[in-house]
Amino acid sequence: MVEIAKAAHHCAMAIARKALIIGGGIIGVTSAYALARNGWAVTIVESEPQVARGASLGNGRQLSYSHTNALASPALLPQMPSLLLGHDDAFRINLRPSLPFAMWLMRFLGNCTRRAFRANTLACLQLAQESRAAMDDLLDQHPIAFNQRKAGKLVLLRCEQELLAAEASTQLRQSAGAELELVSPEQACEIEPALAHGPEQLAGAIYSPADETGDCSHFAAELLDLLQRSYGVTFLGGNSVNRIARQAQGWRVQHEDGSELESDHVLLTTGHQANHLLAPLGLAQPIQSMKGYSFTAPIGIAAPALSITDNARRIVFTNLGEHMLIAGIADMGDASKQVDPQRLAVMRRAAQASLPYAADYDAVDEGWAGHRPMTPDSLPIIKQLAPGLFANLGHGMLGWTLAMGSAERLARLLGRPT
Ligand SMILES: Cc1cc2nc3c(=O)[nH]c(=O)nc-3n(C[C@H](O)[C@H](O)[C@H](O)COP(=O)(O)OP(=O)(O)OC[C@H]3O[C@@H](n4cnc5c(N)ncnc54)[C@H](O)[C@@H]3O)c2cc1C
């Protein structure tokens, strides 16, 4: 009897130690690292055969630890009519008859106050700082190669209005310890000589010398490899989950092929697709997708070494060595996976107008499209949704930057297995 009781106890302990992560993007893989370090037996289930094939694949690769401005801001309000009518080339909000979308939009507009913008930007900065520290800790222990470059970053400001808004948000972030400063056009060109070849006058720029770049999908693949080799993490690729159901104890996870898994602890890291699984449980979260694009082209004759953001055009340039990566465009209400050649052409024209010699724009590749999982306040949702069911979702425009810190917060929420 004692032996049976011991075995049952051992079995219950084994189940209680299991954490099942659904979604193998950058958030799922970094969460696996934080949980496995805390003693959890982690399994990642992912619909694609490999990790980081969703939004984490072709993103701008910028670790923008100092640039954490929330999307909803007082400055965006006057632009809303133009965004809703499709008059803004870089940012479109396609209205559609959907209650979750209407509610999301109302909450987003509610975050466009000065007070909310300040609070959201500072909260995001705090998480970004935690992310940088967690990334440094990881790399101290495990020197993962992912083309990390401490490149520094310049955000270009084209007019007085942008400069004024930038002054306020720069001061705000400086006061919270962010390493960034406003610089004059001349100083910007000294810091990044390639800017002297731009066709347009600058009003100024925000310079953040400590911001970094790195290949997000490569990092995720390398981290997974480490997790499988050294932390006993299991990866089940090519397994789409189509339902999660509550049981008397824990959760049952059903795959498209009919197979099932059970776990006491389930974590959702399914990015913009989170509500497919959560809505049937009545646990839908305020997440809407914002589609974006990227392309690469051979490096041009005046390519910036630093990361560049053209604020007004909503595009970023990242120097990859032999190629320049350009990412941007914000389309809300387009759930398709396909690259729309017209939208890609818009981005190519914007990049060419911004930095004409940064890349060989006659030789751009076929492009990539991905979906940023957006929340109304630009802050991720890291919380327990139901007993044993957790979320690490909604990292929007900054998921690569915020991944490591979010994973640590999530691990603190779950605690150590008992
Ligand atoms: C154009 C663009 C540029 C960007 N640039 C930057 C940048 O420079 N810096 C930055 O910090 N961030 C950037 N981002 C944002 C960043 O890429 C995202 O926030 C981040 O990748 C989100 O990670 P995720 O793991 O939540 O989502 P994803 O990477 O989309 O991962 C979710 C995973 O869940 C899987 N999944 C979904 N449903 C299921 C299911 N039912 N069963 C099994 N698996 C499932 C998907 O296959 C996917 O692999 C950019 C985004 C875009 C689109």
Side-chain angles (χ1 to χ4, degrees):
M1 274 307 271
V2 175
E3 285 308 308
I4 293 171
K6 263 191 192 164
H9 178 69
H10 184 75
C11 184
M13 289 276 288
I15 290 171
R17 279 170 44 82
K18 283 200 291 188
L20 186 70
I21 299 180
I22 306 174
I26 189 63
I27 303 301
V29 179
T30 50
S31 298
Y33 174 63
L35 291 179
R37 264 181 28 256
N38 268 2
W40 292 92
V42 179
T43 299
I44 305 175
V45 184
E46 163 58 48
S47 35
E48 299 293 330
Q50 290 155 295
V51 289
R53 299 283 110 182
S56 309
L57 180 61
N59 63 27
R61 300 193 185 185
Q62 303 202 352
L63 290 159
S64 298
Y65 296 123
S66 329
H67 290 279
T68 58
N69 282 4
L71 182 62
S73 73
L76 197 71
L77 272 183
Q79 299 171 31
M80 282 310 279
S82 135
L83 305 187
L84 292 167
L85 293 168
H87 293 166
D88 187 308
D89 264 354
F91 188 2
R92 288 185 177 169
I93 302 179
N94 302 316
L95 285 178
R96 56 191 193 283
S98 147
L99 185 60
F101 182 64
M103 284 166 63
W104 187 96
L105 200 54
M106 292 304 287
R107 287 178 67 172
F108 180 77
L109 292 173
N111 275 284
C112 285
T113 63
R114 187 176 303 278
R115 198 164 152 208
F117 171 75
R118 286 173 64 93
N120 296 336
T121 298
L122 288 181
C124 192
L125 181 64
Q126 171 62 37
L127 183 55
Q129 287 168 344
E130 290 170 25
S131 286
R132 186 202 290 272
M135 178 67 99
D136 288 348
D137 283 351
L138 162 70
L139 297 178
D140 276 351
Q141 279 192 56
H142 306 289
I144 294 174
F146 61 103
N147 295 327
Q148 185 193 26
R149 247 178 15 104
K150 308 214 171 190
K153 173 168 165 132
L154 277 165
V155 177
L156 310 184
L157 308 165
R158 302 279 184 196
C159 65
E160 283 305 311
Q161 209 183 349
E162 271 188 81
L163 191 62
L164 273 178
E167 259 166 20
S169 83
T170 303
Q171 274 170 17
L172 176 71
R173 286 171 286 153
Q174 276 170 339
S175 68
E179 201 183 329
L180 78 177
E181 58 175 322
L182 265 185
V183 294
S184 67
E186 296 73 29
Q187 286 170 314
C189 291
E190 258 171 50
I191 295 165
E192 178 47 80
L195 294 180
H197 301 274
E200 294 161 348
Q201 278 288 316
L202 288 179
I206 308 171
Y207 177 43
S208 48
D211 280 349
E212 303 179 13
T213 61
D215 186 333
C216 176
S217 64
H218 191 68
F219 172 85
E222 290 291 306
L223 182 55
L224 177 70
D225 184 48
L226 170 78
L227 290 172
Q228 289 175 310
R229 278 187 289 107
S230 309
Y231 289 84
V233 169
T234 305
F235 176 66
L236 303 175
N239 272 292
S240 202
V241 173
N242 61 3
R243 189 163 174 260
I244 48 179
R246 210 186 301 244
Q247 304 195 107
Q249 235 214 340
W251 293 85
R252 184 184 312 139
V253 172
Q254 296 177 343
H255 295 120
E256 234 165 38
D257 65 5
S259 61
E260 292 185 350
L261 286 171
E262 286 180 7
S263 184
D264 260 9
H265 297 84
V266 171
L267 167 62
L268 246 76
T269 54
T270 38
H272 75 103
Q273 291 160 311
N275 285 329
H276 296 173
L277 296 174
L278 289 175
L281 298 169
L283 294 171
Q285 298 299 304
I287 295 173
Q288 293 290 324
S289 116
M290 188 165 83
K291 190 172 178 181
Y293 292 82
S294 70
F295 66 78
T296 62
I299 210 92
I301 51 170
L306 271 75
S307 301
I308 303 291
T309 297
D310 188 325
N311 210 36
R313 294 191 171 94
R314 297 183 196 280
I315 45 175
V316 299
F317 296 78
T318 307
N319 190 321
L320 306 181
E322 290 182 0
H323 288 85
M324 185 61 70
L325 173 81
I326 291 139
I329 296 267
D331 284 344
M332 298 209 68
D334 176 359
S336 67
K337 276 188 174 175
Q338 285 73 31
V339 172
D340 175 345
Q342 286 182 354
R343 297 302 279 149
L344 197 68
V346 163
M347 198 167 79
R348 199 186 100 171
R349 283 198 296 275
Q352 202 156 8
S354 178
L355 293 177
Y357 306 108
D360 177 358
Y361 295 104
D362 291 330
V364 304
D365 65 12
E366 69 284 2
W368 170 88
H371 295 269
R372 307 172 185 91
M374 299 300 296
T375 57
D377 55 9
S378 298
L379 294 171
I381 299 163
I382 306 168
K383 68 175 184 190
Q384 179 161 358
L385 302 172
L389 183 64
F390 295 82
N392 192 359
L393 295 165
H395 295 74
M397 307 175 294
L398 284 175
W400 173 214
T401 306
L402 303 177
M404 288 297 294
S406 301
E408 291 303 316
R409 284 192 184 182
L410 187 274
R412 284 200 292 278
L413 194 63
L414 262 87
R416 289 190 174 271
T418 47

